[in-house]
Amino acid sequence: MSPDVPLLNDYKQDFFLKRFPQTVLGGPRLKLGYCAPLYIYVNQIILFLMPWVLGGIGTLLYQLGILEDYYTAALSGGLMLFTAFVIQLTSLYARNKSVTVERMLTTDILAEEDEHEFTSCAGAETIKFLIPGKKYIANTVFHSVFAGLICGLGTWYLLPNRITLLYGSAGGTVPLFVFGWMTLCIGEYSLIVNTATETAAFQTQDTYEITPLMRPLYIFFFVSVDLAHRFMVNIPALEQMNQILHILFIFLPFLWALGTLPPPDALFLWAMEQVLEFGLGGSSVSTHLRLLMMFIISAGTAVTSYFIPSTVGVVLFMTGVGFLLSLNLSEIGFAFKHSVTRHRVGTKSKALPSGSEKQFTWKECLFYIVIFVLALLETSLLHHFAGFSQISINNPQAIVGYILMTLLTILWLLREIQSIYIFGIFRNPFYPKDVQAVTLFLKKQARLMKIGTVRRILLNLVSPFAMIAFLSLDSSLQGLHSVSVSIGFTRAFRMVWQNTENALLETVIVSAVHLLIPSTDVWWNRSLDTGIRLLLVGIMRDRLTQFISKLQFAVTVFLASWTEKKRRKSTTTLCILNVVFSPFVLVFIVFSTLLSSPLLPLFTLPIFLVGFPRPIQSWPGVVGTTACVCTDTVYYYQMVPSLTAALQSAMAAGSLGLLLPGSHYLGRFQDRLIWIMILECGYTYCCINIKGLELQETSCHTAEARKVDEVFEGAFEEEEYTRVCSINEHFGNVLTPCTVLPVKLYSDARNVLSGIIDSHDNLKEFKDDLVKVLLWILVQYCSRRSSMQENVHKTENKGEASLIILPALNTSPQTQSSEDTDSLNSETLDDWSDDNVFGDEPTIKTGKEEKDQLKILQGISVPIPGSVETQRVGDHPAGTVPENSLYKAVILGYPAVDKGKHQDMVYIPLIEFSCSHSHLLSLPEEWTSNCLPNSKMREMSSFFPEDWYQFVLRQLKCFHSEENVPNVLEEIAKDRVLKDFYVHAVMTCCFSLFGVDNMVPSPGHILRVYNGVLPWSVALDWLTEKPELFHLALKAFSDWYIGLVSDEKWKESVLQEKPYLFSLGYDPNMKSNNVIPYNFPGLLFLLHA
């Protein structure tokens, strides 16, 4: 912020001066953006002071001794109830009577927003402005009744004699009475007249009108403490609390205005979450409905354990239920329901992949059952047979404590090894330094993953059973259990599974304190059992962690305000005040820590306010419902599955540090920023929320992204490679580099490739590469096909040679006739227009016509002029099929041949493979028929990439059952018959796509073929009769997408993860097409926020 630029400009100042007094006073609009009649302000003041007038009547009668205190409360409450109904009915009448008035537009947005036309003091427009009314009739009644109750109890709460008796003197009665009634009037006005805009907002829309209840509910809480003190005498703590709350009561308007007190719904959810996490051993959950359900079940578990009479039964119940509640029950229930539905229907559902479902239902479910049984068995045996004694160095529980200390140390070391920086300060020497080469980085990181596997075993298997042993050997479980034992140990047995790392730390602390202070005279050992000790240690651990984090945040804001030159002049005074009043700043931080609420720097300045407490999921509704959909959304959708898998591996290895609900991580890749938040943690699962941030559309966002890049550059600079353990230059930054994740996502490196992709060399290379890609696809297809066939039935007579139908390319010495040459030349597409880079449409046939031609080719049954048609095998009686008819082919588009004249076509003899394993890679027999002259096939076979063919065969992994796989692959690679087989299939497909002339395809030709407009040829007829082969050929050709970014097919291609996307654009200045390639890079950087 520059010193010359004010914090609030004129527009914002006017808005602030209008809105803030309205928020403080609970709704009265005493400053408007236009000139309003005087009676508007007078009416608002009368409505605001109405509760004080009605309460003052009862107070006066009480002070005069005419009425008792409770009759005074009833009288004031009744008058307020009647007044509230009158106010609401008046508002309802005005809304029904008023008509719509057309207003003139003004240039002032604020004035236009608030401007009203008033005709009289009691006109309909005036009443609608003063009393907007309620949306629902039920709220009209309920809010009116509640207003009467609050007024009656508030009158009782603020009786002068009561205040004097509470403090023992009349000195503070007058200010407490006056300002107390101001607080009461503010609450009543927001409830029955007009609700103020609250600074503490949790819901985006107040659908059920909960906001008007916020202030009256806090008033009711203060009054309820006073009522408890009235009817429960001789309790000093309650009396002191009542005295403190009477003083705090007059400061409620400022707490409401500053947003320190939460709305009712946020307070309710926050309270449930705190009790669930620290009192019942659960975790923050991903949805509010799950929070409510989990709270009820967990509370029921603690209550049920209290009524179980057997000590062994209590321990078994706590252990079993604690383990079950720590699992992701919703996901398990969904998988079970899906499995039952699928078996009942008898078909595979598309909602869940069968592979993952099978893995979950069999492997994971079996794993959970085994762990569950072993946990119950260990608990019952140790609790029943092990001896119980007081804490000492040699007793069994102390020995288990030493084991837990060792486990904690090992797990801590293994976790630190996985991160980039140790303690966030020293560069980890074991972490890969070079992140430029993805393959090399993954190879080096694989070593760390092995260490992560050891850590995962110790964390998920060894540590829980060790802690169960520690708890089962505790003497508190041997005798009759109390409420504290039920609550404490229910939490402890669940924390073992729900949050193993924190439970291990808490158990080690309790065990260490026991060993250091074994005396039973100490209050810690005498009055508290192990379960309550663990509960208190857990609360202290959480609050201490929050205090350190918030203190670091406050220091960071303070130093940033002082060190940045642009802000130093304007914040110098604030920095000096922070130093002078540092104890008060520390009090704010402590108060924020105790409430587990956010610490808010006002306008990012070192002016700290305490935000209102809220649940971990600090927004209403389901995750993702409020997401903003834009053109970049599809890229985040595409990367989420790959990112989730990478995060799963990193979390299991410990690369992200200690996983706690509420932790934030920031992912960075090129111009993309991803915000990751942990919502829920449990045994072997974690629920996260992934948000994609906007792609640096403003200069400030670009500057922020640059700061993030600098943090990572400091971790991977080349100058630091020479030192074994370098120092983090950005230590103290709120962002600390955690790890680098290999994620499959699209790069946004944009290049203009006009003149490159349409060059002659590139087009020639494209044609050669297409042959290689098609060969790869066919070989992989045949290998998978043979593997699937072997799974169904085993091949009989494995020693016999396989017979196949293959064109004999080298059997005929005849040369190509002139007629063949003429007919083949006539099939070329030289007369297709290629004036553009990609061309538009063919000049002879439109794309639509040729597409239609492709659709009807297979359905033609009438003779075609100029074709030689042979009989099919089925046309002859059984046993009389001519041998030659098995090897004849249909030739379309060639001159008719006279009877008896030799055709330049060959018969396809039955040839044996030279390798007995070659049948595993043989193509289907219907793909072996010939459709082109032998001379043309012999000529084009020279373009077959034999080296690439040998390489592809040696990469196969479909011979797991063979003992000597390399030798088998070598024999198959030497099989000349199998090679000729692939030569025939691959080159025929290429003829179908590019024609039989050995010419470099034009850009327009490639684009038309990509769009499905194939040039007609005999080879195309042959290919379209084999749909599966035709699909494979098009897959080899179109493993990328060409089109506009705004097209729906572009988004579909991104979600399908096509490796290459080409975006077409037109620059009128350059008069050329701009081509933007997208492909898959590798690494996404992750920081802990």
Side-chain angles (χ1 to χ4, degrees), residues 132-144:
K134 308 297 179 182
K135 293 188 293 185
Y136 306 106
I137 299 298
N139 284 336
T140 300
V141 177
F142 174 68
H143 290 182
S144 300

Side-chain angles (χ1 to χ4, degrees), residues 76 341 596 599 896 913 981 1020 1057 1078:
S76 300
T341 304
S596 186
L599 186 66
F913 285 129
F981 189 13
L1020 179 61
E1057 296 187 346
Y1078 289 78

Side-chain angles (χ1 to χ4, degrees), residues 500-530:
T500 307
E501 290 191 75
N502 283 337
L504 182 60
L505 176 62
E506 296 167 8
T507 308
V508 167
I509 293 175
V510 171
S511 177
V513 172
H514 279 187
L515 295 176
L516 294 175
I517 310 175
S519 176
T520 57
D521 297 332
V522 181
W523 170 80
W524 178 266
N525 294 331
R526 183 184 68 254
S527 303
L528 303 177
D529 56 76
T530 302

Side-chain angles (χ1 to χ4, degrees), residues 50-51 54-55 73-89 139-152 188 191-192:
M50 183 64 67
L54 300 179
L75 175 63
S76 300
L79 293 175
M80 189 67 223
L81 175 63
F82 176 77
T83 304
F85 272 116
V86 171
I87 291 174
Q88 294 301 316
L89 292 176
N139 284 336
T140 300
V141 177
F142 174 68
H143 290 182
S144 300
V145 173
F146 194 50
L149 178 64
I150 292 297
C151 185
E188 293 282 6
L191 181 62
I192 62 172

Side-chain angles (χ1 to χ4, degrees), residues 598-840:
L599 186 66
L600 175 64
L602 188 63
F603 300 110
T604 68
L605 297 173
I607 304 175
F608 298 101
L609 301 177
V610 180
F612 67 90
R614 66 201 72 184
I616 293 296
Q617 183 187 341
S618 56
W619 61 90
V622 184
V623 174
T625 54
T626 59
C628 178
V629 179
C630 60
T631 56
D632 301 317
T633 305
V634 64
Y635 299 108
Y636 291 107
Y637 271 123
Q638 176 273 323
M639 68 179 298
V640 163
S642 179
L643 176 61
T644 303
L647 284 173
Q648 185 178 7
S649 301
M651 290 177 177
S655 302
L656 304 187
L658 185 62
L659 299 178
L660 294 175
S663 298
H664 295 267
Y665 298 89
L666 188 67
R668 174 69 171 154
F669 175 77
Q670 290 185 353
D671 61 346
R672 285 172 173 77
L673 285 172
I674 301 169
W675 193 265
I676 303 170
M677 178 181 179
I678 297 180
L679 298 176
E680 179 180 354
C681 287
Y683 187 62
T684 68
Y685 82 94
C686 185
C687 294
I688 61 176
N689 176 30
I690 301 176
K691 294 182 180 180
L693 307 183
E694 58 182 329
L695 304 184
Q696 306 178 27
E697 296 181 357
T698 61
S699 58
C700 60
H701 294 164
T702 304
E704 293 167 357
R706 180 56 191 165
K707 289 291 185 181
V708 175
D709 293 336
E710 289 178 0
V711 174
F712 270 112
E713 289 173 1
F716 296 101
E717 288 182 353
E718 295 182 1
E719 291 79 3
E720 303 294 335
Y721 293 173
T722 56
R723 286 184 284 178
V724 177
C725 190
S726 58
I727 305 296
N728 182 10
E729 297 179 357
H730 298 275
F731 175 71
N733 195 302
V734 292
L735 298 176
T736 303
C738 290
T739 186
V740 181
L741 302 178
V743 180
K744 192 176 183 182
L745 72 170
Y746 281 97
S747 170
D748 196 24
R750 299 172 180 265
N751 300 301
V752 178
L753 300 183
S754 300
I756 299 177
I757 64 171
D758 56 342
S759 64
H760 182 273
D761 295 336
N762 181 73
L763 295 174
K764 183 178 182 301
E765 186 69 24
F766 175 83
K767 184 176 181 180
D768 297 338
D769 291 342
L770 179 64
V771 175
K772 295 180 180 180
V773 173
L774 182 56
L775 178 59
W776 172 275
I777 291 177
L778 289 181
V779 173
Q780 295 294 328
Y781 169 81
C782 292
S783 65
R784 290 193 300 267
R785 178 172 173 268
S786 60
S787 301
M788 288 187 294
Q789 289 178 349
E790 286 186 355
N791 292 334
V792 178
H793 57 83
K794 297 296 182 180
T795 306
E796 300 179 0
N797 304 325
K798 292 184 179 179
E800 298 181 1
S802 303
L803 300 179
I804 58 108
I805 302 174
L806 186 71
L809 297 180
N810 301 321
T811 58
S812 175
Q814 301 293 333
T815 60
Q816 185 180 9
S817 62
S818 59
E819 292 84 356
D820 292 338
T821 304
D822 295 337
S823 62
L824 289 174
N825 290 335
S826 65
E827 292 174 12
T828 60
L829 300 172
D830 295 335
D831 48 358
W832 284 39
S833 175
D834 290 317
D835 296 335
N836 244 336
V837 176
F838 291 105
D840 298 322

Side-chain angles (χ1 to χ4, degrees), residues 250-293:
I250 64 177
F251 294 100
L252 282 180
F254 299 99
L255 295 178
W256 289 327
L258 295 177
T260 305
L261 299 179
D265 47 354
L267 178 63
F268 177 71
L269 295 172
W270 171 81
M272 279 199 305
E273 188 176 81
Q274 295 293 307
V275 174
L276 175 64
E277 184 174 356
F278 299 106
L280 302 173
S283 168
S284 305
V285 294
S286 55
T287 63
H288 297 152
L289 180 60
R290 289 185 64 178
L291 174 62
L292 179 61
M293 296 299 297

